[in-house]
Amino acid sequence: CPYPARLRNVFSLYSFLLYFTEDGQKLQDVLYELTMETSVPIVFVQQKQIGDYDKTLKAHKEGKIQKLLETKGHDHVQDSYDYDLIVIGGGSGGLAASKEAAKYGKKVLVLDYVTPTPQGTRWGLGGTCVNVGCIPKKLMHQAALLGQALQDSRKFGWQFEEKVKHSWETMTEAVQNYIGSLNWGYRVSLREKKVTYENAFGEFVGPHTIKATNNKGKEKFYTAEKFLIATGERPRYLGVPGDKEYCISSDDLFSLPYCPGKTLVVGASYVALECAGFLAGLGLDVTVMVRSILLRGFDQEMANKIGEHMEEHGVKFIKEFVPTKVERIEEGTPGKLKVIAQSTDGREIIEGEYNTVLLAVGRDACTRTIGLDKVGVKINERSGKIPVSDEEQTNVPYIYAIGDVLEGKLELTPVAIQAGRLLARRLYAGATLKCDYVNVPTTVFTPLEYGACGFSEETALEKFGEENIEVYHSYFWPLEWTVPSRDNNKCYAKIICNIQDNERVIGFHVLGPNAGEVTQGFSAAIKCGLTKAQLDNTIGIHPVCAEVYLTAARASQYTQKLGSRPRRKNR
């Protein structure tokens, strides 16, 4: 019948999508029983029958359809759909949004399901950050720092004769016990907020409809007025023989039941360098295989200093090589693997033997298997990322997305949490505030921690021009490191200022202990328009690392004046 197709333009004005069925006769029979009308289409709006093509066109021209849409109320939504909001993904962002929506009396369902890794690793509610990301990463980073602190303590007078050893099993058990308590806490919190939770895989099957499949294969179907995609990302594999069979990812590392031993870390991301850093800090033999540059997207001066520091502390780097094959040559836990790698120019092939190969070569958005094509949600076909408006709305008006699945947005837990809460407030509490993705601070927990907020030096030069940028920088030596006499002139502070905007600070970078704590404080000032003059006018706390940004008059052994870098041509 041609008439439904002719209504396409009318429906598109209301952000409706048309779906055609091949079983037209069956549908027509059902409509006849319901309406006693023989013609199609039969259009309903808010459960009110409008009529056939001619009646629908007339109702549109007279504004009756728009009026029906505008007069819908909450009670009607409750009658029409199973839920006001269904959240797909139980990570930090999804949980924050679901609880916020429930606070305003909305009926909310959270679907969360962890597809096991190729090694069979699974985890509980809470998403990547809690289970296989930020939380276990920083705890293991802390374990490595404690090892360094033990070495330093001898210089401060602590005496112990026995050789200090580290137990991987004790550490992982303690870390997993803490994560388990967080998983339980999230479930309790959802129950207290009256949010329904199901451990099931969510997949769109039609407009406003989703299928939830649990780990036993049992399927349920739910409808909702609105949906939120918060499915996050999972580690990428190399696509070479033996990668999924024998390699692990960060999804496996933090619950690995045995010490990984001699480890090859493949990748140059912050995940790669953080894991390599704490593994080396625990006393393991660690090599990092890098295809190109370290920490792509971060300030490259800072990235290279991190690499230099790691090399000086025993981490080996194989640069401009990529694995082409991984073979198991000895069974066991951890066993032994042979890695064959080729140089990026294709001229050289090398081999190496390791107990564990950890892949950290990037992450892929979990968007390709959740039925987005069935409801018309557009994704970037190359990356799988979802383009959204400044209100986190996809091209399908009733579907939203937050977190790591978003195209062109920061992949950070606090960003997802903020976006989720603000979205729920806009949808259900009449708020208008949108998530601000500018000047978001972050920290890379490498052995020499790196905190950053704002532009990298490369990006600032590209955006504003070298003649409009002033870079102030200094090495510094933390007082705590002077007695053990280690790592002098390794910590580094840098701020990037826009000369044309009263030397406003547009980039903040620090390498040193507790870099995250330092960066968090300065990031609030940067949000408020911090200038170099205001920094110079601020009295510092003495003796702390952060005063390097404030010291104006004189230098000492451990804190130096933040000097201006001569602007260089052709940088």
Side-chain angles (χ1 to χ4, degrees):
C1 179
Y3 293 105
R6 292 178 187 175
L7 284 176
R8 185 187 301 272
N9 292 335
V10 174
F11 289 154
S12 67
L13 295 174
Y14 303 103
S15 300
F16 292 163
L17 294 173
L18 275 183
Y19 294 87
F20 293 90
T21 177
E22 295 179 0
D23 196 0
Q25 187 57 54
K26 183 177 179 181
L27 178 61
Q28 193 165 354
D29 291 342
V30 171
L31 286 172
Y32 177 74
E33 292 178 11
L34 186 65
T35 67
M36 300 304 291
E37 296 276 355
T38 56
S39 62
V40 289
I42 303 295
V43 174
F44 292 80
V45 177
Q46 305 291 38
Q47 298 183 343
K48 179 178 177 61
Q49 182 178 341
I50 301 299
D52 59 13
Y53 171 80
D54 292 327
K55 291 177 182 177
T56 301
L57 201 59
K58 181 182 178 184
H60 162 64
K61 291 177 179 179
E62 293 175 352
K64 291 180 179 179
I65 293 178
Q66 185 65 40
K67 186 175 293 185
L68 283 169
L69 291 172
E70 290 174 351
T71 57
K72 71 176 184 178
H74 176 68
D75 292 339
H76 174 79
V77 172
Q78 292 288 72
D79 293 339
S80 300
Y81 301 109
D82 298 319
Y83 292 92
D84 292 294
L85 176 67
I86 292 180
V87 179
I88 311 170
S92 302
L95 294 179
S98 66
K99 289 186 284 188
E100 193 71 18
K103 191 166 78 174
Y104 301 113
K106 299 304 173 182
K107 189 177 180 183
V108 183
L109 169 67
V110 172
L111 298 175
D112 185 62
Y113 183 84
V114 178
T115 302
T117 71
Q119 301 301 321
T121 306
R122 302 182 67 166
W123 51 88
L125 182 64
T128 294
C129 174
V130 168
N131 293 281
V132 290
C134 321
I135 298 299
K137 174 268 301 287
K138 192 177 182 188
L139 290 174
M140 293 190 178
H141 170 66
Q142 173 65 10
L145 293 182
L146 290 172
Q148 180 65 63
L150 282 170
Q151 298 177 40
D152 291 350
S153 69
R154 294 183 188 273
K155 291 287 187 178
F156 285 93
W158 289 96
Q159 298 177 5
F160 45 94
E161 300 302 325
E162 71 276 8
K163 184 178 180 181
V164 177
K165 295 192 301 182
H166 180 266
S167 169
W168 176 271
E169 292 78 7
T170 299
M171 177 186 69
T172 52
E173 181 181 1
V175 169
Q176 290 304 311
N177 285 342
Y178 176 64
I179 291 172
S181 72
L182 295 178
N183 298 147
W184 174 251
Y186 287 131
R187 296 187 70 162
V188 170
S189 179
L190 289 179
R191 188 162 59 244
E192 290 175 345
K193 298 289 193 301
K194 295 181 172 53
V195 174
T196 304
Y197 161 66
E198 284 198 21
N199 182 16
F201 184 85
E203 178 185 358
F204 287 101
V205 293
H208 295 276
T209 307
I210 200 163
K211 177 175 70 175
T213 308
N214 67 16
N215 57 10
K216 295 181 180 179
K218 184 178 179 180
E219 297 177 351
K220 295 181 182 178
F221 294 84
Y222 299 106
T223 60
E225 182 193 15
K226 291 182 173 64
F227 291 83
L228 176 61
I229 302 166
T231 47
E233 296 180 306
R234 295 291 291 272
R236 185 179 305 144
Y237 285 79
L238 293 169
V240 302
D243 62 345
K244 291 185 178 179
E245 293 87 346
Y246 307 124
C247 299
I248 66 170
S249 72
S250 57
D251 282 356
D252 306 294
L253 178 64
F254 302 112
S255 59
L256 201 65
Y258 53 83
C259 180
K262 183 181 179 182
T263 302
L264 174 68
V265 179
V266 182
S269 63
Y270 71 90
V271 176
L273 298 187
E274 287 175 336
C275 292
F278 73 68
L279 290 174
L282 298 176
L284 302 184
D285 183 340
V286 179
T287 301
V288 179
M289 184 174 288
V290 180
R291 179 175 60 87
S292 54
I293 63 173
L294 301 180
L295 295 177
R296 186 178 300 278
F298 289 88
D299 189 285
Q300 283 303 290
E301 181 180 27
M302 311 303 279
N304 291 331
K305 289 183 184 298
I306 290 171
E308 291 166 7
H309 180 267
M310 291 178 69
E311 283 193 281
E312 291 170 3
H313 284 259
V315 177
K316 298 179 283 291
F317 282 83
I318 300 174
K319 297 182 178 178
E320 297 184 347
F321 273 83
V322 292
T324 57
K325 189 176 184 181
V326 181
E327 300 175 350
R328 173 173 284 166
I329 56 177
E330 190 176 301
E331 297 285 341
T333 51
K336 191 175 288 185
L337 303 171
K338 181 169 77 171
V339 178
I340 302 169
Q342 186 178 45
S343 61
T344 53
D345 61 11
R347 296 177 181 177
E348 187 178 357
I349 293 177
I350 60 173
E351 295 183 1
E353 293 184 1
Y354 306 90
N355 298 119
T356 299
V357 177
L358 170 65
L359 303 181
V361 293
R363 300 172 66 81
D364 292 322
C366 300
T367 57
R368 300 187 189 275
T369 60
I370 60 173
L372 296 184
D373 56 321
K374 294 183 177 69
V375 287
V377 173
K378 293 178 181 177
I379 65 171
N380 182 314
E381 289 301 328
R382 182 173 173 274
S383 67
K385 298 274 192 173
I386 303 175
V388 294
S389 70
D390 61 354
E391 294 189 338
E392 288 80 41
Q393 189 175 41
T394 72
N395 65 296
V396 177
Y398 64 87
I399 300 177
Y400 298 79
I402 59 170
D404 292 358
V405 297
L406 298 189
E407 184 176 50
K409 298 292 190 294
L410 295 167
E411 299 174 8
L412 296 168
T413 295
V415 173
I417 292 172
Q418 178 84 332
R421 286 175 177 162
L422 293 179
L423 172 62
R425 291 170 191 170
R426 290 196 306 273
L427 291 178
Y428 302 121
T432 58
L433 187 63
K434 302 172 187 176
C435 186
D436 185 357
Y437 292 93
V438 178
N439 287 331
V440 176
T442 189
T443 297
V444 181
F445 289 98
T446 39
L448 190 62
E449 296 177 9
Y450 168 35
C453 182
F455 291 104
S456 67
E457 188 172 344
E458 294 84 3
T459 306
L461 290 169
E462 181 182 339
K463 183 176 179 65
F464 299 99
E466 186 172 3
E467 68 280 4
N468 296 316
I469 294 298
E470 189 74 80
V471 178
Y472 296 90
H473 66 124
S474 175
Y475 290 95
F476 63 97
W477 198 10
L479 180 63
E480 298 86 344
W481 294 4
T482 57
V483 171
S485 192
R486 66 175 173 92
D487 291 323
N488 189 10
N489 272 349
K490 299 300 176 186
C491 297
Y492 188 64
K494 175 165 76 172
I495 59 171
I496 303 160
C497 298
N498 183 355
I499 296 172
Q500 300 300 319
D501 190 10
N502 197 30
E503 279 206 310
R504 183 170 61 88
V505 177
I506 59 172
F508 177 96
H509 304 270
V510 59
L511 283 177
N514 304 304
E517 311 294 345
V518 174
T519 306
Q520 183 71 82
F522 279 102
S523 67
I526 292 170
K527 274 283 188 187
C528 296
L530 178 69
T531 66
K532 179 63 168 60
Q534 290 170 329
L535 273 176
D536 293 341
N537 244 359
T538 302
I539 297 173
I541 301 170
H542 182 72
V544 298
C545 294
E547 69 176 315
V548 68
Y549 290 96
L550 312 174
T551 306
R554 60 182 181 179
S556 69
Q557 288 180 329
Y558 46 83
T559 306
Q560 303 174 27
K561 182 178 179 181
L562 201 62
S564 172
R565 167 185 295 163
R567 293 192 294 278
R568 298 189 290 270
K569 300 296 183 183
N570 302 318
R571 178 173 170 77

